[in-house]
Amino acid sequence: MTTLRLAIVGAGPAGIYAADILKREARGFDVSIDLFEQLPAPYGLVRYGVAPDHPRIKGIINALRDVLDGGAVRVFGNVRFGQDITLDDLKRHYNAVVFSTGAIKDADLDVPGVDLEGSFGAADFVSWFDGHPDVPRTWPLEAESVAVIGNGNVALDVARILAKHADDLLPTEIPDNVYEGLKASPVTDVHVFGRRGPAQVKFTPLELRELGEVPDVDMVVYDEDFDYDEASKAAVATNKQVMVIDRVLQQWRKREPGTASRRLHLHFHARPVEIVGADGKVTALRYERTRPDGQGGVEGTGEFREVPVQAVYRAVGYFGSPVPGVPFDERHGVIPNHEGQVLDDDNQQMPGVYATGWIKRGPVGLIGHTKSDAMETVQHLVTDQASWWSPEDPSEEAVPALLRERGVEYTDLDGWHALDAHEIALGEPAGRARVKVVPREDMVDVSLRRGATQRV
């Protein structure tokens, strides 16, 4: 029987779903799958891109763990593609590769002042509060008034974490260094700005409701933002999600000003035009008021306002990063492909090379989209058998030997289980879900059963 030796680069949900679907869909041949991940731990953005106070979303990890623990997939963590292992290496040892490297950088925001001190990308901040090992241990939380630009779920996550009191995050898996940083924050006001109206937001009702449940934080909305045009009224009347969002916002409009120590302001019809600064530091956000254009969009009014802030977080989307040796679409931040089949510079299919997840379609869609996305890619992979690579050495021992020869301290699935148990044990004395190990060296040490030195 033919054996398919497959490499998957990226052990987040997209890569793990692709492995699971391939195991179930393969007919007429055996499947041997190796997952390569640049971090010592798997699960990608579910571990490092979801706010720690989202335990329901974190529950996705349970399903991903079941796939990895099924016994048909090997995991090679702490392996950097393009550095520790290359595309040429994969061609020597596998029949094909699927790239599922996601999108972890911030999309650009083209406004003056974006490079001022105090102007941050949301993706970097999310990586910090989620304990990503490759970002600094500290974060400059010095602002009393903060602006968050964006009207998606990431913008609300950032705003909520900034406004929430650190002690209210203690039951979660928040790393110790993040708790200490947030505990010292002097913030009193967080302002969220979106250029369109309340009926056109991109966040979900669940994400919005959670804002109103944050202890000692008052929600502030502004009556001037609720002068709906006919298109907005129609959206509220016909779209259940928009209807729920409108209901929550209307309830907040009726609230009397509270006495909480912190406030979270939602500004709609506010198009950011400049991050204002003095002496190289952020001092305000300048925006133009917009109005409905009668067709569900907005247009500028020519009225400009400024809100004094000392920090700005740009939550306007994620963007993919190039993969060494693989074509890349610099404009859209994706690997060029046709339904997951990677295309070369001449727009021709590259034999044996595939993509799935955000690096395939861009940073849009939820977990359900990721599953259907992986199904499409896997179906092409299976039917493309005639164009698979013919590896020189497809033995399962070849790749571990290659990594050892190069001095790569790779982690495996048993190592992840050890790290997982260690983090849970760290949290148990305080009744916490876990305490994340943050430094990469400590993650590797625990995974390789060498213990950890508790670096900070």
Side-chain angles (χ1 to χ4, degrees):
M1 181 179 289
T2 301
T3 297
L4 167 60
R5 287 275 291 136
L6 177 68
I8 298 177
V9 179
I16 295 174
Y17 286 140
D20 186 43
I21 291 169
L22 180 58
K23 287 190 303 177
R24 292 188 279 106
E25 290 294 312
R27 299 291 185 271
F29 51 84
D30 291 328
V31 177
S32 174
I33 303 172
D34 288 344
L35 268 169
F36 294 91
E37 170 57 50
Q38 67 170 342
L39 297 174
Y43 307 138
L45 281 181
V46 177
R47 178 175 166 93
Y48 290 115
V50 176
D53 56 349
H54 274 334
R56 286 166 290 190
I57 298 178
K58 291 284 186 182
I60 296 167
I61 285 181
N62 294 332
L64 300 177
R65 180 185 292 116
D66 290 343
V67 175
L68 296 184
D69 289 348
V73 179
R74 294 192 302 180
V75 176
F76 293 89
N78 201 41
V79 177
R80 293 178 173 90
F81 182 79
Q83 178 178 325
D84 299 323
I85 198 164
T86 67
L87 187 61
D88 285 340
D89 294 328
L90 298 184
K91 289 180 178 179
R92 281 192 291 270
H93 301 295
Y94 298 91
N95 297 106
V97 59
V98 176
F99 289 99
S100 56
T101 50
I104 60 173
K105 296 196 315 181
D106 285 287
D108 291 335
L109 178 65
D110 187 17
V111 299
V114 73
D115 295 324
L116 287 168
E117 182 181 337
S119 172
F120 306 106
D124 291 336
F125 183 59
V126 171
S127 292
W128 175 75
F129 69 58
D130 266 332
H132 195 292
D134 295 338
V135 301
R137 300 286 85 82
T138 59
W139 191 270
L141 292 164
E142 301 162 353
E144 294 184 2
S145 185
V146 178
V148 179
I149 299 173
N151 260 175
N153 283 343
V154 174
L156 295 198
D157 273 355
V158 168
R160 190 180 66 256
I161 294 297
L162 286 168
K164 202 167 190 174
H165 291 277
D167 285 352
D168 293 324
L169 290 166
L170 271 179
T172 74
E173 61 182 41
I174 184 174
D176 285 341
N177 65 298
V178 175
Y179 168 76
E180 295 298 336
L182 292 172
K183 181 77 172 175
S185 170
V187 69
T188 60
D189 291 85
V190 178
H191 300 264
V192 181
F193 295 89
R195 65 183 180 85
R196 301 204 290 176
Q200 290 83 39
V201 297
K202 297 297 184 182
F203 48 72
T204 60
L206 175 61
E207 195 84 24
L208 183 65
R209 283 199 196 99
E210 288 178 341
L211 287 184
E213 298 169 358
V214 179
D216 194 34
V217 176
D218 282 337
M219 294 303 305
V220 182
V221 294
Y222 298 88
D223 288 341
E224 65 178 347
D225 291 334
F226 293 87
D227 185 14
Y228 289 167
D229 65 348
E230 292 304 316
S232 296
K233 293 176 183 177
V236 172
T238 60
N239 185 302
K240 185 175 181 180
Q241 179 164 300
V242 177
M243 186 184 305
V244 174
I245 288 171
D246 179 67
R247 185 180 304 139
V248 173
L249 293 172
Q250 297 294 347
Q251 290 172 351
W252 290 347
R253 288 181 69 190
K254 298 174 184 176
R255 291 183 183 177
E256 293 294 326
T259 58
S261 66
R262 294 178 176 178
R263 290 161 295 281
L264 205 162
H265 309 251
L266 297 182
H267 302 267
F268 302 102
H269 291 295
R271 182 179 69 86
V273 295
E274 182 182 0
I275 300 173
V276 181
D279 299 323
K281 298 181 179 181
V282 171
T283 59
L285 180 72
R286 188 168 190 254
Y287 68 92
E288 180 184 16
R289 283 286 296 173
T290 66
R291 62 189 170 211
D293 63 5
Q295 303 185 18
V298 293
E299 60 187 10
T301 65
E303 177 188 352
F304 295 89
R305 301 178 184 177
E306 286 188 9
V307 174
V309 296
Q310 299 83 51
V312 174
Y313 290 78
R314 310 178 306 275
V316 294
Y318 286 89
F319 200 79
S321 301
V323 178
V326 181
F328 188 70
D329 183 338
E330 296 282 354
R331 180 180 178 187
H332 298 100
V334 298
I335 294 175
N337 69 92
H338 170 70
E339 297 180 349
Q341 298 169 307
V342 173
L343 304 177
D344 62 21
D345 293 337
D346 295 322
N347 212 36
Q348 299 298 309
Q349 181 182 346
M350 290 183 68
V353 186
Y354 300 85
T356 192
W358 279 5
I359 199 64
K360 167 189 173 182
R361 71 177 188 273
V364 293
L366 303 175
I367 290 296
H369 297 89
T370 301
K371 289 182 177 179
S372 59
D373 201 36
M375 173 68 78
E376 180 182 68
T377 295
V378 166
Q379 287 174 343
H380 279 298
L381 169 62
V382 170
T383 58
D384 286 347
Q385 183 174 350
S387 62
W388 290 350
W389 300 328
S390 298
E392 299 170 15
D393 183 0
S395 65
E396 295 200 350
E397 297 78 19
V399 169
L402 175 66
L403 294 174
R404 287 193 296 269
E405 178 185 329
R406 292 177 176 173
V408 179
E409 288 193 309
Y410 66 86
T411 60
D412 58 16
L413 191 56
D414 288 339
W416 160 241
H417 289 157
L419 177 59
D420 186 37
H422 179 76
E423 291 182 338
I424 292 172
L426 289 177
E428 284 177 350
R432 299 175 60 183
R434 72 172 65 225
V435 174
K436 271 186 183 174
V437 175
V438 178
R440 181 184 286 264
E441 305 97 311
D442 284 1
M443 295 176 72
V444 173
D445 284 345
V446 173
S447 297
L448 298 182
R449 290 67 152 191
R450 295 192 300 226
T453 58
Q454 291 302 313
R455 301 174 182 87
V456 296

